[in-house]
Amino acid sequence: MRDFKELELKLVAFLRDYCKNIGVENLLLGMSGGLDSAIVGALCAKAMPQNTHALIMPTKNSDPKNIKDATEFCQKRNIKFKILSIESILGAYQESIDTNLNNIRKGNLSARIRMSLLYDYSADIRAIVVGTSNKSELMLGYGTIFGDMACAINPIGELYKTEIFEFARYLEIDENIINKAPSADLWEGQSDEEDIGYSYEVVDEILIATKNGEIYNKQIEEKFGKKTVQEILKRVKSNEFKRRMPLIAKI
């Protein structure tokens, strides 16, 4: 188990030092009401207590509980926030192309709209955009390029999702946020683990038992079955391009 006190100190110092080194005082993140953004928000608020900002950017399909959780979290942690619905932007785009977007397209577009708003607002308040993607999501490619995977810095990018749950309890994140099923809230009833096809406990144990895309702990294959392990490793490999964007040609 990680030393979460030491981890907290390192990540808070990472955020504070980055701001100092580039001469920017404000941190900005997208707050969803989910666990990852809550942890990042808590770290940012500790690093820059008077200078942490958040945008809450729902659509008509967003769960009202998530908006409430995000709002209350910001209030408790003294995070300055704005609620900006992106529904009109989505609607205007769908109307202009005269077609309905399926869930995947709408989810990706929503993520990119949110990141566009974050970067524009960061220019207004001279802030650094802080990412909220954990290592499990990054390894699996479970995110949107130039959407939720975009950021200037990411304090939780080396933490697996199962570690996120443990870290959250150390940071005293609200239990209602910790206990809710992981979801990007991209459409009604959407579930991260259903999309991935496996629980984070299974995914993380397999990911931790791999190195450079290769399994080195054969007991993992015995525990979960060779097919499951191969499916996870295939997904990691096929989504490597998301972790290396942009890919520059060698000439």
Side-chain angles (χ1 to χ4, degrees):
M1 179 181 290
R2 284 183 183 266
D3 182 337
F4 289 115
K5 178 61 176 178
E6 181 183 7
L7 178 63
E8 176 191 14
L9 292 174
K10 283 184 177 180
L11 294 180
V12 168
F14 165 75
L15 291 164
R16 188 179 292 138
D17 291 346
Y18 191 88
C19 289
K20 181 180 179 180
N21 290 339
I22 65 173
V24 172
E25 295 183 349
N26 294 301
L27 296 170
L28 173 66
L29 71 150
M31 185 65 65
S32 67
L35 189 56
D36 295 331
S37 64
I39 284 186
V40 173
L43 293 170
C44 289
K46 288 176 180 289
M48 307 296 284
Q50 304 302 319
N51 299 87
T52 294
H53 304 256
L55 294 182
I56 301 169
M57 297 169 282
T59 70
K60 67 179 182 182
N61 293 321
S62 296
D63 189 334
K65 292 180 182 178
N66 288 333
I67 302 172
K68 180 176 182 290
D69 287 342
T71 301
E72 291 180 350
F73 181 85
C74 289
Q75 291 170 336
K76 288 179 182 178
R77 301 282 173 152
N78 195 33
I79 296 172
K80 302 175 181 67
F81 70 94
K82 294 180 182 294
I83 300 176
L84 303 174
S85 173
I86 65 169
E87 189 60 39
S88 61
I89 302 174
L90 281 169
Y93 177 70
Q94 288 187 93
E95 185 177 343
S96 68
I97 61 174
D98 193 27
T99 188
N100 290 321
L101 302 176
N102 61 31
N103 283 339
I104 298 299
R105 288 180 63 194
K106 183 177 286 187
N108 284 329
L109 181 58
S110 297
R112 292 181 177 122
I113 290 171
R114 289 181 176 120
M115 193 52 65
S116 294
L117 295 180
L118 282 168
Y119 267 94
D120 182 71
Y121 190 54
S122 74
D124 182 39
I125 63 174
R126 296 196 70 250
I128 291 298
V129 175
V130 185
T132 60
S133 294
N134 60 68
K135 186 167 186 175
S136 306
E137 293 171 342
L138 293 172
M139 292 296 291
L140 294 175
Y142 187 66
T144 302
I145 297 176
F146 307 123
D148 55 310
M149 296 180 79
C151 61
I153 52 175
N154 183 358
I156 64 168
E158 284 297 316
L159 294 177
Y160 293 99
K161 186 69 175 186
T162 46
E163 293 179 305
I164 291 289
F165 284 102
E166 298 176 56
F167 195 23
R169 289 191 167 84
Y170 168 80
L171 292 173
E172 298 182 338
I173 303 298
D174 295 348
E175 284 294 325
N176 60 316
I177 293 179
I178 294 175
N179 292 331
K180 69 175 63 174
S183 171
D185 203 18
L186 297 176
W187 55 82
E188 187 175 356
Q190 186 260 337
S191 163
D192 290 356
E193 290 181 319
E194 285 184 11
D195 290 349
I196 293 170
Y198 300 98
S199 70
Y200 278 114
E201 286 79 7
V202 171
V203 168
D204 284 357
E205 194 166 346
I206 293 172
L207 291 178
I208 291 168
T210 65
K211 188 173 183 179
N212 297 324
E214 299 293 333
I215 192 79
Y216 65 84
N217 183 348
K218 293 298 182 182
Q219 291 180 332
I220 292 296
E221 288 188 349
E222 296 175 4
K223 182 174 182 178
F224 297 113
K226 189 172 183 179
K227 180 183 177 184
T228 296
V229 173
Q230 287 179 338
E231 285 180 353
I232 296 298
L233 295 184
K234 181 180 179 180
R235 185 159 182 171
V236 171
K237 186 174 183 179
S238 65
N239 284 285
E240 183 180 7
F241 73 98
K242 289 188 175 184
R243 302 186 295 276
R244 294 177 179 244
M245 292 294 291
L247 184 61
I248 306 299
K250 295 181 180 180
I251 56 175

